[in-house]
């Protein structure tokens, strides 16, 4: 298997495949990313010596066609799929431009994290998750079979559907939710000073996915704009009704005693009808929300301490980065926050985030285990 693109999804696919004994060849425009994935045990950061059974294109939707065309031109694989979360646009481009469109089947594993990059990858990321496959009118049975095998290899549940249907569904279930999370998170920048003190789990649940890579998500949203537009317009209508209801209800709290004694009519429909309608509008929305959730399957705080970046040099040998991550985890350090900052011939320069007060102690323990510190001045701040 070949994996082109070693971010979160591509590296997770590669880790799942290598865990099942599949030989995987990795490539990425970012050389450090490919080498990082290789160091994690996801495969070899080199070209395969002969055509592979399947090439997985783990690149943004707008790049699927160009990457496929280049891969087919050099005979990289006998079949091709991708993991992009938009399908109709790339499919049209493949049908119009690819030399062998019959060898391609669209794919989209519905799994992810708010973090990006190879260090966020997990071999179990797709376990039990849906994996959409979108064969087009020219897709060969062999290409579809390779896509089905990949989904099953990763422990996912394959779902075969048309590309347009897929895009309409994910617009509602994934893309617009991400957009709304970003809209809500953006409001926090201009919120009252007390926001950090009173930010509870509800806010974190609503905004968590807003931490995704803005460049990748800009590509996704742009690529599925047509399907998203209708959902956003319906949301706008819902919000307009809610805003009107809240305006009416807000006026109730603004009445003075004199207004009440004078019989001041605050409601557009008179005699409290506006108030009652506002309450009904809110209750209707909340009830429809509960009903909407009922159709979904159920899924089985103080300020952070100051941190110091501990620079470590990881030798360019398979398994070394995984060994470092294991050592770091054993010391109680958050592995998800480890960052690869540079790749050179001698190895990878890695920043291990540790509490400033524990930097020397943890550095000494890692040194005793054979890990050398990289020269601090050569590691970019990050």
């Amino acid at each position: 298997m070949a994996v082109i693109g070693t971010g979160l999804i591509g590296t997770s696919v590669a880790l799942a495949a290598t865990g099942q004994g599949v030989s995987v060849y990795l490539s990425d425009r970012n050389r450090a990313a490919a080498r990082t994935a290789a160091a994690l045990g996801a495969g070899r950061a080199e070209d395969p010596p002969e055509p592979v059974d399947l090439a997985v294109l783990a690149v943004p939707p707008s790049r699927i066609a160009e990457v496929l065309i280049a891969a087919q031109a050099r005979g990289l694989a006998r079949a091709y799929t991708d993991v992009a979360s938009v399908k109709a646009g790339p499919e049209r481009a493949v049908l119009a431009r690819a030399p062998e469109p019959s060898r391609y089947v669209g794919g989209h594993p519905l799994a992810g994290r708010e973090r990006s990059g190879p260090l966020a990858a997990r071999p179990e990321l797709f376990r039990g998750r849906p994996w959409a496959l979108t064969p087009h009118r020219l897709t060969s049975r062999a290409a579809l079979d390779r896509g089905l095998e990949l989904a099953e290899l990763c422990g996912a549940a394959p779902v075969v559907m048309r590309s347009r249907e897929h895009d309409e569904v994910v617009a509602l279930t994934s893309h617009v939710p991400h957009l709304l999370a970003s809209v809500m998170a953006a409001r926090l920048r201009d919120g009252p000073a007390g926001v950090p003190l009173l930010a509870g789990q509800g806010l974190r649940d609503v905004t968590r996915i807003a931490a995704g890579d803005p460049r990748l998500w800009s590509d996704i949203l742009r690529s599925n704009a047509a399907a998203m537009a209708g959902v956003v317009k319906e949301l706008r209508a819902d919000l307009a009704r809610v805003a009107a209801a809240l305006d009416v209800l807000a006026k109730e709290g603004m009445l003075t005693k004199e207004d009440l004694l004078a019989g001041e009519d605050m409601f557009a429909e008179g005699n409290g009808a506006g108030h009652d309608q506002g309450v009904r509008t809110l209750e209707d929305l909340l009830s429809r929300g509960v009903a909407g959730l009922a159709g979904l399957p159920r899924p089985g705080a103080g300020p952070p301490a100051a941190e110091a970046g501990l620079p470590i040099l990881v030798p360019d040998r398979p398994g070394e980065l995984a060994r470092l991550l294991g050592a770091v985890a054993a010391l109680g350090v958050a592995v998800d926050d480890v960052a690869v900052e540079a790749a050179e011939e001698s190895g990878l320069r890695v920043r291990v985030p540790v509490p400033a007060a524990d930097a020397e102690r943890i550095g000494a323990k890692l040194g005793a285990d054979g890990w050398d510190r990289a020269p601090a001045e050569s590691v970019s701040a990050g």
Side-chain angles (χ1 to χ4, degrees), residues 54 79 108 119 184 191 197 216 218 229 250 267 333-334 344 353-354 360 372 381:
L54 179 68
H108 175 208
L119 287 177
M184 186 64 231
L197 300 175
L216 172 61
S218 175
F267 309 111
V333 177
E344 297 183 356
V354 297
E360 289 305 316
D372 295 327

Side-chain angles (χ1 to χ4, degrees), residues 121-271:
R122 298 289 183 269
E124 70 276 7
L125 185 66
F126 314 107
R127 194 169 300 157
R129 302 294 299 169
W131 191 303
L133 291 166
T134 57
H136 54 80
R137 57 185 173 81
L138 298 181
T139 298
S140 68
R141 183 69 214 189
L144 177 57
D145 286 345
R146 297 295 86 74
L148 291 168
E149 290 168 3
L150 175 64
E152 293 168 358
L153 184 74
C154 293
V159 179
V160 179
M161 61 199 314
R162 296 298 182 188
S163 60
R164 183 174 178 179
E165 178 190 5
H166 166 276
D167 289 358
E168 290 173 348
V169 171
V170 296
L172 180 61
T173 62
S174 175
H175 300 165
V176 172
H178 191 99
L179 187 66
L180 292 177
S182 297
V183 169
M184 186 64 231
R187 290 292 91 212
L188 300 178
R189 296 183 60 189
D190 302 318
V195 166
L197 300 175
L198 300 180
Q201 191 58 46
L203 176 67
R204 298 180 190 281
D205 289 344
V206 168
T207 59
R208 177 182 58 82
I209 56 176
D213 183 349
R215 287 176 298 179
L216 172 61
W217 273 97
S218 175
D219 191 297
I220 291 170
L221 301 185
R222 184 174 69 250
S223 298
N224 203 25
M228 290 179 61
V231 179
V232 171
K233 289 174 183 176
E234 292 172 353
L235 284 170
R236 181 177 63 187
D238 282 338
L239 289 174
R241 287 190 291 271
V242 169
L246 292 174
D247 279 341
V248 169
L249 296 173
K251 291 177 182 178
E252 182 181 45
M254 297 167 59
L255 282 173
T256 66
K257 181 178 180 180
E258 289 73 20
D259 290 330
L260 294 172
L261 291 174
E264 179 71 21
D265 183 4
M266 289 300 304
F267 309 111
E269 299 181 27
N271 300 319

